Amino acid sequence: MKDTSLSARRALRESASGYAFILPQMIGFFLFVLIPLVNVFIYSFQNRNMLFGTSNPIGFQNYATLFQDSLFYLTLKNTLIFSVFLVPLNLALALGLALYLGDGNFGTRYIRAIIFLPVVTSGVAWSIVWKYLLQGGTGPINWALAQLGIQGPNWLQEKGWAMAAVVVTRVLKNLGTNVLVFYGAVMNLPGEIVEAARIDGASSFALFRKIKLPLLMPTVLMASIVTMIGSMRVFDTIKLMTEGGPEGSTMVLVYYVYYQGFRAYKSGYASAIAVILFLIMLGMQWLARRKVSHYEE
């Protein structure tokens, strides 16, 4: 009986120690994630004005206004364009580099370090530097093009070029993360299968298409969904490089939430946009789980 009581007290102390360790994390989650998230849903049903401090319940009026807002549809289209170009470009470059590094080719150690440096660089610093490099007329990139006899565009002030510029700079910023993920997957490929295919005379392209890529598909799917969700949350690059311009051509949903909440002071309307963005990303995550579980089966 005494031993049972002692074991129960020991188990209770261990449980209390575990809860004590996770308590700060749980407090932070409730204060900075769960409570603000619930408030966003509540605010989306109110007419809130941050400038005057007013708040009135209006039901679904914010959502009704949202679906009649032409600028909302423009930002939704811009967000999709941004993601559609960024995700394939990021994944293709990351997978290609991971395969190169996995083969232990020349300069592997230095390439890994160079690729990962932008990831640990401040997003603000990265955007400011690229804004300077892409200045029209006097920017270093246009100067270099001029030396080759090419007249560069005004990268951040012309509609098509502005979107291309923010996509490329964002790809380069986060490329190292997916390279690291794919590199780990490449290094875990079953070596005997790859070697058997090489002995059978499979070309490099056939080896990639028929053996490596199918084995890497669960990782590719996971990385594509994570990258897609990250692309829909981009803010610092847009804010610092283009501020949604020119003529709203680079204004994405996250920046539109900021614009409505902190420029137009319509926090209720901004909350409704944030809810729509949250539901889009939730749906994408659900789809990702289904696709990854399908390949794992």
Side-chain angles (χ1 to χ4, degrees):
M1 186 72 179
K2 187 177 179 180
D3 290 342
T4 304
S5 175
L6 205 62
S7 298
R9 285 200 299 270
R10 186 180 297 113
L12 185 61
R13 282 199 302 269
E14 289 177 356
S15 298
S17 299
Y19 284 120
F21 276 113
I22 68 170
L23 184 61
Q25 176 71 18
M26 293 304 297
I27 291 173
F29 173 78
F30 278 101
L31 289 178
F32 301 110
V33 178
L34 187 60
I35 294 175
L37 184 61
V38 171
N39 282 336
V40 166
F41 277 90
I42 295 171
Y43 292 167
S44 70
F45 297 101
Q46 298 176 353
N47 180 19
R48 299 181 64 89
N49 189 299
M50 293 179 62
L51 185 62
F52 299 105
T54 57
S55 175
N56 302 302
I58 56 171
F60 288 91
Q61 188 175 326
N62 281 328
Y63 293 97
T65 304
L66 183 66
F67 290 110
Q68 296 172 359
D69 184 359
S70 60
L71 191 53
F72 168 73
Y73 288 108
L74 176 62
T75 57
L76 183 60
K77 184 184 79 170
N78 290 340
T79 304
L80 292 175
I81 291 172
F82 183 85
S83 299
V84 163
F85 281 99
L86 181 141
V87 175
L89 184 57
N90 185 300
L91 294 178
L93 288 174
L95 185 56
L97 286 167
L99 290 169
Y100 179 85
L101 297 174
D103 289 339
N105 293 309
F106 175 76
T108 296
R109 184 184 305 175
Y110 304 105
I111 292 173
R112 278 186 303 195
I114 292 169
I115 289 171
F116 203 72
L117 275 176
V119 178
V120 297
T121 303
S122 163
V124 172
W126 182 262
S127 300
I128 290 172
V129 168
W130 274 100
K131 185 175 183 179
Y132 164 71
L133 293 174
L134 292 168
Q135 284 180 3
T138 59
I141 290 179
N142 276 353
W143 178 86
L145 290 174
Q147 305 311 303
L148 300 173
I150 302 171
Q151 183 178 359
N154 193 345
W155 298 96
L156 302 178
Q157 299 300 322
E158 295 181 19
K159 279 189 175 181
W161 290 112
M163 180 61 79
V166 294
V167 166
V168 170
T169 54
R170 196 68 186 182
V171 166
L172 296 176
K173 174 72 175 70
N174 296 323
L175 182 64
T177 302
N178 279 342
V179 171
L180 190 63
V181 171
F182 287 143
Y183 179 71
V186 167
M187 296 307 292
N188 285 319
L189 288 174
E192 61 276 6
I193 297 177
V194 176
E195 192 58 34
R198 284 201 178 108
I199 292 171
D200 288 341
S203 64
S204 298
F205 180 73
L207 187 65
F208 168 74
R209 187 170 64 88
K210 295 188 176 180
I211 295 177
K212 290 185 177 180
L213 186 58
L215 292 172
L216 291 170
M217 275 311 294
T219 306
V220 171
L221 280 172
M222 181 201 71
S224 65
I225 297 299
V226 171
T227 307
M228 176 70 78
I229 292 172
S231 71
M232 299 191 76
R233 294 171 54 243
V234 64
F235 173 76
D236 51 355
T237 303
I238 302 295
K239 175 69 176 72
L240 294 167
M241 292 183 67
T242 65
E243 292 197 3
E247 299 178 22
S249 62
T250 59
M251 184 176 286
V252 293
L253 281 174
V254 174
Y255 186 80
Y256 194 44
V257 172
Y258 160 80
Y259 177 84
Q260 290 293 343
F262 297 97
R263 292 282 186 88
Y265 302 106
K266 298 177 181 178
S267 54
Y269 190 58
S271 297
I273 302 168
V275 168
I276 296 298
L277 180 59
F278 170 77
L279 293 175
I280 291 171
M281 290 195 289
L282 191 65
M284 291 174 58
Q285 189 172 7
W286 174 79
L287 181 63
R289 286 182 178 275
R290 290 197 59 183
K291 289 292 185 182
V292 171
S293 60
H294 170 72
Y295 272 95
E296 286 177 347
E297 289 172 2

